[in-house]
Amino acid sequence: AREHCTRVVARLRAEGTVAPLAGMLPLLALTELAARRMREAQASVAEGLELSRTLGYENDETGLLGVQARIAALQGDAEACRASAQEALRGVMRKVLAEVARTGLPGNHHFFITFLTGAPGVRISSRLRERYPEQMTIVIQFQYWDLKVTDAGFEVGLSFSDVPEKLEIPFS
């Protein structure tokens, strides 16, 4: 599998075909990782991350961050593993919330989102901050409005004891 991926990636590079290359680099990184070729896997991840971010290919970026986390774990670097995994999860959350902002929640689906109320960038009313001084869990299901998602975070309108509130929550 590694040899096949290597040949396909080489061909795509020679042709200058960047979109399929962005999709192949995560596969090449995984096959390099399976062969315990850490340096080559890391190089494929680095190239893939640069390409996927340039092209805006969030799915490929998320997959590559997962491979990056796996490499770090195999190298015993728990901190780098955690950081890559968290970045991947933030990307998933950003993508899913952006889709919900565009199309709404299907059926009976919902999200529980827990965040630290004192974290930098969190904007909630003083009333909510008093009630939830450390962390808070919100539910996005039926009664939410004005959901807006950016690269940095999201804002949403929710009601607490019949009092409407606007919350701004960063992804970091």
Side-chain angles (χ1 to χ4, degrees):
R2 188 178 61 77
E3 291 81 15
H4 176 71
C5 285
T6 301
R7 282 193 306 273
V8 171
V9 165
R11 181 178 52 79
L12 293 171
R13 284 182 180 135
E15 294 171 353
T17 313
V18 294
L21 180 60
M24 278 301 298
L25 285 168
L27 299 174
L28 178 59
L30 283 171
T31 61
E32 295 289 8
L33 187 59
R36 299 286 191 223
R37 297 169 53 111
M38 298 297 181
R39 194 170 304 128
E40 291 84 351
Q42 287 173 321
S44 294
V45 166
E47 181 183 2
L49 283 172
E50 182 179 346
L51 188 56
S52 63
R53 287 172 177 155
T54 300
L55 296 172
Y57 289 3
E58 294 173 347
N59 288 344
D60 291 327
E61 180 182 357
T62 300
L64 285 158
L65 288 166
V67 176
Q68 189 174 54
R70 188 177 295 171
I71 292 168
L74 290 170
Q75 293 176 328
D77 189 344
E79 187 174 323
C81 176
R82 235 183 331 275
S84 292
Q86 286 176 352
E87 189 176 350
L89 291 171
R90 280 192 293 272
V92 169
M93 186 171 177
R94 184 181 307 109
K95 182 177 180 176
V96 169
L97 285 176
E99 181 67 21
V100 169
R102 277 192 304 279
T103 63
L105 278 168
N108 203 19
H109 290 81
H110 59 279
F111 291 105
F112 286 91
I113 301 172
T114 300
F115 60 95
L116 301 175
T117 55
V122 170
R123 299 179 121 193
I124 59 175
S125 69
S126 56
R127 179 178 84 89
L128 289 178
R129 195 173 303 279
E130 265 181 43
R131 188 165 176 196
Y132 305 98
E134 292 181 24
Q135 76 176 22
M136 180 177 193
T137 299
I138 59 173
V139 180
I140 297 178
Q141 186 172 18
F142 299 119
Q143 297 180 357
Y144 68 93
W145 58 90
D146 295 336
L147 177 59
K148 295 180 183 116
V149 182
T150 67
D151 287 341
F154 69 98
E155 64 182 62
V156 65
L158 293 169
S159 183
F160 297 87
S161 301
D162 294 323
V163 177
E165 299 272 2
K166 177 180 153 187
L167 291 80
E168 294 181 29
I169 304 162
F171 290 122
S172 59

